[in-house]
Amino acid sequence: MKQETTIFPENFLWGGAIAANQVEGAWREDGKGDSIADHITAGTKTSPRRFTREIREGERYPSHEAVDFYHHYKEDIALFGEMGFRVLRLSIAWSRIFPQGDEEQPNQAGLEFYHKVFDECHKHGIEPLVTLSHYEMPYHLCEQYGGWRDRRVITFFVRYCETVFREYKDQVHMWLTFNEMNTLVSRFGTLLGAGILPEDGADMFNMSRAGQPETPEELNERFAALHHQFVASAKAVALAHEIHPKHRVGCMLSAAGVYPYTCSPEDMMEMQHQMRKSNWFCGDVCVKGEYPYYMNRFFREKGIRIPMEPGDEEILKKGCVDFFSFSYYTSRCVTVDEKVTMSAGNMMLGVPNPYLNASEWGWIIDPKGLRYLLNAIYDRYEIPIMLVENGLGATDELTEDGQIHDPYRIAYLREHIRQMAEAIQDGVELIGYTPWGCIDLVSASTGELKKRYGFIYVDRHDDGTGTNRRIRKDSFDWYRKCIASNGREL
Ligand code: BGP
């Protein structure tokens, strides 16, 4: 359907998003060190991914090969260019640059790889938007230092940031610090986000302990890790500005609408509490540069002590982000009624909304919730916003004539884009949109390849077979037209 007027600004950043550990493969090539993602096995919708200290024979670790972007980047970026991307969100694998994480000098081969990738982007008129840390901390830092619990990790991260800010200062001007930093607020963020290792063989999200309350020790470790990330992120922002006046740095949070399950005052209070804890807390620190007042009571009641050191408050104030970015897939309901079932969805527990449908993987689909959230974010911060992840993970079928018809994906994206247009008309300063997994990749939560998000199909399967051939899906052409018409043709 074609709309007459343009709603999206002419310079709107249409594009797509990927992350190193989910696409690159080549896990030990050219001097790369192991990242935490390389120690997580494949899982399925029903059997969780597991963490192993050693790489075990006979296990599959999907990040080791992923979809081999490391050797296909030229072809892939050319396809992104064909769709008309103006921006590509991708991450640098920290362990390609500093294989162990605590070295003094970077790995030249790693630096070289991303020079080539960014050159390729520019060749196709694509601006890179780089996530500095996307669930792929060098494994050595997790083992040796206990992940982000240890304050020394701030120094290593800042060294890595300074290296890449300087190295790519003529090629990259848009950066994100930590992917979905707010996952550290919940137990699900312990391993991938905080780099805190569980016992060997444990399931990745601690699902086996989902019903049990967390100990003050667990909470203290995670909130210490989060504090260290706040400080590291703020230092990175200040440093980026110092290194190049054009550098713009954003925070990146996982955002979901939170609805009260009933209109009882208790559920309403629970909704406010959850919105603050899971959505606003990290945004407030990154955008406003200080801990918000409402967390104090939570910290007090849970026995959490934030390891604030002299000088940290100034660092947070000096490192406020330039823009706010987030991922949006779903919304959830909350209730104080313990009898109502809890279900998992994108690393968060929530009650399904009876007014909405769910995806094949059980994630509630809520396009209007996106408009609501965009408005709520802009009300609060009044800085530019970018939606850097959104999409539908679905099983695709390769037909006999070698095509992939994915009207379900088109329908999902169309509805979300329509709601973005509504939010822009509401006055929200939305500057870009990079749907997740613009090329099929490894699922973060399940490790599957079968859960596909892409406009581009990759012939690669969960049993390790496949040619890695890239095939344009129906959604490829649809998105190309959407971009070419600046969102008029959906
Ligand atoms: C976000 C992560 C991404 C991505 C996405 C989809 O939480 O930032 O890395 O994977 O979710 O999730 P999944 O891959 O589990 O379907």
Side-chain angles (χ1 to χ4, degrees):
M1 250 166 292
K2 196 159 180 148
Q3 263 176 346
E4 288 314 309
T5 50
T6 311
I7 290 163
F8 291 90
E10 279 312 322
N11 57 356
F12 189 76
L13 293 167
W14 296 100
I18 53 178
N21 76 88
Q22 290 167 267
V23 293
E24 283 179 5
W27 70 301
R28 281 184 174 163
E29 233 169 284
D30 294 332
K32 179 182 167 296
D34 289 14
S35 86
I36 181 63
D38 296 324
H39 285 250
I40 303 180
T41 67
T44 65
K45 206 175 359 180
T46 46
S47 58
R49 306 184 71 181
R50 279 171 302 99
F51 158 76
T52 68
R53 278 182 189 272
E54 304 298 329
I55 301 303
R56 294 184 189 168
E57 238 176 87
E59 283 282 9
R60 275 201 57 245
Y61 299 85
S63 66
H64 294 187
E65 277 129 30
V67 292
D68 201 26
F69 177 80
Y70 198 77
H71 300 107
H72 288 75
Y73 69 93
K74 284 193 180 169
E75 179 186 350
D76 294 346
I77 293 169
L79 286 165
F80 300 150
E82 195 180 317
M83 275 186 279
F85 280 21
R86 298 170 188 170
V87 63
L88 174 66
R89 174 181 175 226
L90 75 174
S91 68
I92 293 180
W94 181 357
S95 65
R96 283 201 193 282
I97 311 301
F98 289 95
Q100 302 273 302
D102 57 359
E103 300 92 335
E104 297 278 336
Q105 295 305 323
N107 168 32
Q108 285 306 324
L111 290 173
E112 210 31 60
F113 171 65
Y114 293 104
H115 269 304
K116 291 189 287 191
V117 168
F118 301 144
D119 271 349
E120 210 57 30
C121 286
H122 288 294
K123 214 162 95 187
H124 293 276
I126 300 172
E127 203 60 54
L129 164 64
V130 174
T131 317
L132 291 154
S133 180
H134 193 129
Y135 298 154
E136 51 211 0
M137 183 177 201
Y139 184 67
H140 171 78
L141 296 183
C142 308
E143 261 216 319
Q144 210 55 39
Y145 297 83
W148 278 97
R149 266 176 299 190
D150 192 315
R151 205 181 158 93
R152 285 173 294 179
V153 172
I154 299 175
T155 313
F156 306 139
F157 180 75
V158 173
R159 185 181 299 151
Y160 153 66
C161 291
E162 176 158 9
T163 307
V164 296
F165 289 156
R166 288 194 194 286
E167 187 76 26
Y168 306 120
K169 70 177 186 324
D170 298 323
Q171 292 175 298
V172 182
H173 295 117
M174 288 188 297
W175 304 88
L176 301 175
T177 55
F178 294 94
N179 183 63
E180 297 189 332
M181 181 188 222
N182 55 331
T183 56
L184 268 68
V185 169
S186 92
R187 174 182 266 159
F188 299 131
T190 312
L191 176 62
L192 274 186
I196 298 173
L197 303 180
E199 67 275 19
D200 195 24
D203 74 82
M204 175 172 86
F205 290 136
N206 272 314
M207 285 307 283
S208 52
R209 305 193 39 220
Q212 303 164 22
E214 288 190 280
T215 63
E217 196 196 349
E218 279 177 278
L219 283 167
N220 267 296
E221 287 185 343
R222 233 186 25 253
F223 279 89
L226 183 56
H227 178 69
H228 295 147
Q229 290 196 355
F230 284 144
V231 174
S233 171
K235 283 189 160 199
V237 174
L239 196 62
H241 291 160
E242 203 182 294
I243 290 172
H244 202 295
K246 265 181 86 178
H247 280 336
R248 290 287 169 270
V249 191
C251 56
M252 195 301 192
L253 306 179
S254 155
V258 182
Y259 299 82
Y261 189 61
T262 72
C263 53
S264 76
E266 288 78 12
D267 280 359
M268 196 61 194
M269 285 307 301
E270 182 60 17
M271 182 278 276
Q272 185 181 52
H273 173 63
Q274 293 295 337
M275 269 306 272
R276 284 171 162 174
K277 196 163 79 111
S278 54
N279 280 340
W280 301 131
F281 163 43
C282 293
D284 286 357
V285 178
C286 295
V287 178
K288 300 179 179 178
E290 60 187 26
Y291 275 68
Y293 75 92
Y294 54 79
M295 288 305 283
N296 289 336
R297 179 168 182 179
F298 173 78
F299 293 151
R300 205 168 50 237
E301 290 180 353
K302 297 283 182 191
I304 299 169
R305 223 201 101 262
I306 302 296
M308 185 77 75
E309 291 206 354
D312 283 1
E313 282 174 338
E314 289 71 28
I315 293 169
L316 296 181
K317 266 283 170 227
K318 282 191 194 141
C320 296
V321 292
D322 303 302
F323 64 99
F324 183 99
S325 85
F326 70 109
S327 60
Y328 179 84
Y329 294 92
T330 188
S331 65
R332 65 199 167 109
C333 294
V334 290
T335 177
V336 293
D337 183 350
E338 284 172 6
K339 292 194 296 292
V340 182
T341 8
M342 304 295 268
S343 69
N346 198 19
M347 308 185 200
M348 278 183 259
L349 287 177
V351 180
N353 187 325
Y355 297 95
L356 299 168
N357 296 320
S359 78
E360 235 177 298
W361 267 263
W363 294 17
I364 299 290
I365 302 173
D366 184 7
K368 282 212 175 77
L370 173 60
R371 176 182 176 188
Y372 164 77
L373 213 52
L374 282 166
N375 274 279
I377 295 167
Y378 198 62
D379 281 352
R380 198 172 184 100
Y381 301 128
E382 292 186 309
I383 60 172
I385 304 176
M386 211 166 155
L387 178 53
V388 294
E389 277 189 36
N390 168 243
L392 181 72
T395 315
D396 289 330
E397 197 196 329
L398 184 61
T399 56
E400 270 173 26
D401 55 350
Q403 302 200 33
I404 295 99
H405 304 300
D406 56 347
Y408 36 88
R409 181 167 296 108
I410 296 173
Y412 178 101
L413 295 168
R414 176 191 289 132
E415 287 313 311
H416 284 79
I417 294 173
R418 283 198 175 133
Q419 294 304 321
M420 284 161 36
E422 290 293 335
I424 291 173
Q425 292 179 95
D426 293 335
V428 173
E429 197 184 345
L430 180 66
I431 59 168
Y433 178 54
T434 56
W436 175 249
C438 46
I439 181 163
D440 289 348
L441 40 64
V442 174
S443 156
S445 58
T446 68
E448 293 168 295
L449 284 146
K450 172 169 142 201
K451 189 180 185 187
R452 297 175 182 272
Y453 285 88
F455 301 113
I456 302 162
Y457 180 91
V458 181
D459 179 35
R460 181 109 211 134
H461 308 280
D462 288 323
D463 59 5
T465 61
T467 59
N468 277 333
R469 190 158 77 90
R470 274 60 173 154
I471 303 167
R472 294 169 188 79
K473 302 182 192 176
D474 285 359
S475 54
F476 182 100
D477 204 42
W478 171 84
Y479 194 46
R480 187 184 60 71
K481 286 188 188 134
C482 164
I483 298 178
S485 65
N486 203 27
R488 268 185 294 245
E489 212 171 309
L490 293 174

